């Protein structure tokens, strides 16, 4: 009688199986136990910051040698201050209310059967993301808080930083009720490992891609595992005819220049023709002073020429190409157009927007209301910067990304977005 040796599991599948075991253990932990683990992570991030920063320096040096663009370096870098912010965020999330077990609805049927709908973890959450090592901590912290295991696949550009962060967090929870395998890096450095992760339906409960358009589209197209789609941020600021010019200028500069390399930075400015002669010369001058290259339509170019903007020391104003209206620059570039009406602005955004974040600057309540209702987008800002489309800014502690889809989660995803619900029926012998 012959016997056969079972085929060995691949490293990626082994990690997913281990994450499933960890998720089952996490499901029985209390909020207090998970919070204790998060506080241990916060302490470890502080205590072991030198090795984390040293690992990040290796990644930054490699990126510079490889000639990576400034936008990539901006996302990849991790400073003392940024690491301190991650530590503070971890403590803040630990202090937040526990979403697990929350009753979202409840009733008692005429037959006496008690019906409750409660929040429960998703299970094993896979994250695929580009060169932003802060996402490694954000994802692990939010997953642990909500009772989920995290399988993390970051960019190879941040491999040393991500490895250090994951090692620190796993060590930190070793003496807590949280299993270390609740935080894991996806093994392997090739795209084959990512493709295998995408195929593990039944072992991985959900995948969340966070990065550029190609990464998100490839994950949605190729994954057998359910995907929560985070979106590319072609975000617009529309300056209405009834707007305060000073306010509009402050909002625009913050939305574009405060940090151009992130998804909630403004990429397109639309200006109502009635206010354009007053607003645009000042806006173009300030954008030039901040080093922002403007890609303008014909009316923008004419206003720039008439007003002598920019100066010789400023960034240029160039003719916009058709593809500029669809660009997520993630850089000091801005597409600018003059529009005939609010309806024309809405039509432009519908045609070119990505459903991420759109902003209107106006003193008219009716214009704001029309803008809010007319646009199908995850976040709408009225008289505020697009940069507020952020989990930390909106009181979620941090975020896994900004979902631009409509099922399950939409907008900045905090701990609640990492839960689903189950119905609990409590009776005393009722039968149907």
């Amino acid at each position: 009688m012959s016997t056969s040796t079972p085929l060995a599991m691949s490293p990626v599948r082994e990690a997913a199986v281990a994450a499933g075991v960890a998720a089952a253990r996490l499901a029985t932990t209390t909020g207090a136990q998970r919070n204790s683990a998060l506080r241990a992570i916060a302490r470890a991030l502080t205590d072991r910051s030198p090795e984390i920063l040293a690992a990040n320096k290796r990644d930054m040096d490699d990126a510079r040698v490889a000639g990576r663009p400034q936008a990539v370096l901006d996302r990849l870098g991790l400073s003392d201050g940024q690491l301190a912010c991650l530590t503070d965020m971890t403590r803040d999330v630990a202090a937040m209310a526990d979403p697990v077990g929350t009753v979202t609805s409840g009733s008692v049927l005429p037959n006496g059967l008690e019906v409750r709908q409660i929040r429960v973890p998703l299970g094993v959450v896979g994250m695929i993301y580009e060169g932003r090592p802060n996402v490694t901590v954000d994802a692990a912290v939010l997953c642990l808080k909500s009772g989920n295991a995290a399988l993390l696949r970051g960019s190879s550009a941040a491999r040393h930083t991500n490895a250090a962060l994951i090692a620190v967090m796993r060590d930190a929870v070793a003496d807590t009720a949280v299993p270390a395998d609740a935080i894991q890096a996806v093994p392997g450095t090739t795209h084959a490992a990512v493709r295998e992760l995408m195929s593990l339906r039944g072992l991985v409960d959900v995948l969340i891609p966070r990065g550029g358009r190609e990464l998100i589209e490839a994950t949605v197209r190729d994954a057998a595992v359910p995907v929560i789609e985070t979106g590319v941020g072609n975000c617009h600021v529309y300056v209405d005819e009834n707007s305060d010019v000073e306010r509009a200028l402050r909002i625009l500069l913050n939305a574009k220049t405060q940090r151009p390399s992130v998804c909630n930075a403004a990429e397109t400015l639309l200006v109502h023709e009635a206010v354009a002669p007053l607003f645009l010369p000042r806006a173009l001058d300030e954008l030039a002073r901040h080093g922002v290259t403007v890609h303008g339509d014909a009316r923008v170019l004419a206003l720039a020429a008439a007003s002598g903007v920019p100066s010789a020391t400023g960034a240029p104003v160039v003719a916009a190409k058709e593809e500029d209206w669809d660009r997520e620059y993630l850089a000091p570039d801005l597409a600018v157009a003059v529009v005939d009406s609010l309806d024309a602005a809405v039509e432009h955004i519908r045609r070119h927007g990505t459903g991420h974040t759109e902003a209107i600057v106006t003193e008219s309540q009716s214009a704001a209301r029309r803008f809010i209702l007319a646009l199908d987008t995850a976040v709408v800002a009225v008289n505020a910067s697009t940069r507020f489309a952020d989990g930390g800014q909106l009181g979620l502690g941090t975020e896994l990304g900004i979902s631009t889809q409509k099922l399950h989660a939409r907008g900045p995803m905090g701990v609640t977005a990492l839960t689903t619900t189950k119905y609990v029926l409590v009776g005393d012998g009722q039968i149907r």
Side-chain angles (χ1 to χ4, degrees):
M1 180 178 179
S2 62
T3 59
S4 59
T5 303
L7 293 176
M9 285 192 291
S10 70
V12 175
R13 181 173 285 268
E14 283 185 354
V17 169
V21 174
R25 284 181 57 190
L26 274 176
T28 64
T29 58
T30 65
Q33 289 173 322
R34 296 192 299 277
N35 291 338
S36 178
L38 291 177
R39 289 190 291 270
I41 288 174
R43 291 192 297 272
L45 290 173
T46 298
D47 294 343
R48 296 174 63 178
S49 61
E51 68 184 86
I52 296 169
L53 296 174
N56 186 248
K57 184 179 183 302
R58 291 181 65 188
D59 288 329
M60 290 291 285
D61 290 344
D62 290 345
R64 291 190 182 99
V65 169
R68 303 279 188 181
Q70 184 57 44
V72 172
L73 295 176
D74 179 61
R75 294 192 294 272
L76 179 60
L78 197 60
S79 66
D80 280 299
Q82 289 170 318
L83 191 54
C85 287
L86 288 175
T87 300
D88 291 342
M89 175 277 296
T90 303
R91 292 195 178 98
D92 290 343
V93 171
M96 292 173 63
D98 184 6
V100 179
T102 301
V103 178
T104 61
S105 65
S107 63
V108 179
L109 301 183
N111 63 2
L113 187 66
E114 296 179 5
V115 180
R116 293 194 297 272
Q117 187 181 24
I118 65 171
R119 292 203 173 277
V120 295
L122 291 170
V124 176
V125 176
M127 278 288 296
I128 306 173
Y129 51 104
E130 294 181 344
R132 295 186 63 174
N134 66 289
V135 176
T136 302
V137 180
D138 291 343
V141 166
L142 289 177
C143 283
L144 291 193
K145 177 71 177 184
S146 52
N148 296 286
L151 272 178
L152 307 173
R153 173 55 188 253
S155 167
S156 60
R159 61 187 180 276
H160 298 113
T161 316
N162 288 339
L165 288 168
I166 290 172
V168 166
M169 291 189 289
R170 284 174 61 89
D171 290 347
V173 302
D175 294 326
T176 73
V178 169
D181 282 342
I183 308 170
Q184 293 187 74
V186 175
T189 59
T190 66
H191 288 299
V194 178
R195 288 194 295 272
E196 183 175 6
L197 176 68
M198 293 180 183
S199 74
L200 296 180
R201 188 178 183 91
L203 291 177
V204 178
D205 293 287
V206 66
L207 276 177
I208 304 174
R210 179 170 172 176
R213 186 187 300 273
E214 290 184 3
L215 169 66
I216 294 167
E217 289 180 350
T219 305
V220 172
R221 181 184 65 244
D222 299 337
V225 175
V227 175
I228 298 178
E229 182 177 352
T230 62
V232 172
N234 183 12
C235 304
H236 297 73
V237 173
Y238 166 59
V239 179
D240 188 44
E241 61 179 324
N242 300 300
S243 61
D244 181 307
V245 170
E246 294 296 334
R247 173 186 285 174
L249 191 58
R250 289 196 306 272
I251 289 171
L252 169 65
L253 291 177
N254 181 262
K256 180 67 245 183
T257 69
Q258 197 254 353
R259 195 177 180 193
S261 65
V262 293
C263 66
N264 58 15
E267 303 289 22
T268 301
L269 168 67
L270 304 174
V271 183
H272 193 288
E273 63 177 1
V275 75
L278 179 62
F279 174 74
L280 268 178
R282 291 191 60 192
L284 295 175
D285 185 55
E286 286 295 328
L287 289 166
R289 291 175 189 274
H290 282 80
V292 176
T293 297
V294 166
H295 303 256
D297 69 0
R299 288 192 280 187
V300 171
L301 295 177
L303 281 168
S307 59
V309 175
S311 65
T313 58
V317 177
V318 300
K321 301 175 182 178
E322 185 58 33
E323 58 265 28
D324 285 319
W325 309 117
D326 297 307
R327 290 278 299 275
E328 184 187 33
Y329 291 105
L330 301 175
D333 291 82
L334 184 70
V336 183
V338 175
V339 293
D340 297 334
S341 64
L342 184 151
D343 290 338
V346 166
E347 179 56 33
H348 181 104
I349 294 170
R350 284 176 173 168
R351 186 163 62 251
H352 301 287
T354 54
H356 190 292
T357 302
E358 312 298 353
I360 180 174
V361 184
T362 185
E363 299 298 298
S364 167
Q365 291 187 6
S366 63
R369 189 180 310 112
R370 285 169 58 201
F371 192 82
I372 292 168
L373 295 176
L375 289 175
D376 185 15
T377 187
V379 181
V380 180
V382 177
N383 293 327
S385 171
T386 59
R387 291 283 286 120
F388 285 106
D390 173 85
Q393 292 293 316
L394 298 183
L396 305 181
T398 186
E399 67 180 32
L400 280 189
I402 296 180
S403 170
T404 55
Q405 65 182 38
K406 300 181 184 181
L407 298 181
H408 176 68
R410 197 178 196 193
M413 293 186 292
V415 291
T416 301
L418 292 177
T419 63
T420 183
T421 63
K422 70 167 62 168
Y423 280 93
V424 177
L425 312 179
V426 180
D428 58 1
Q430 288 91 337
I431 61 173
R432 180 173 174 177

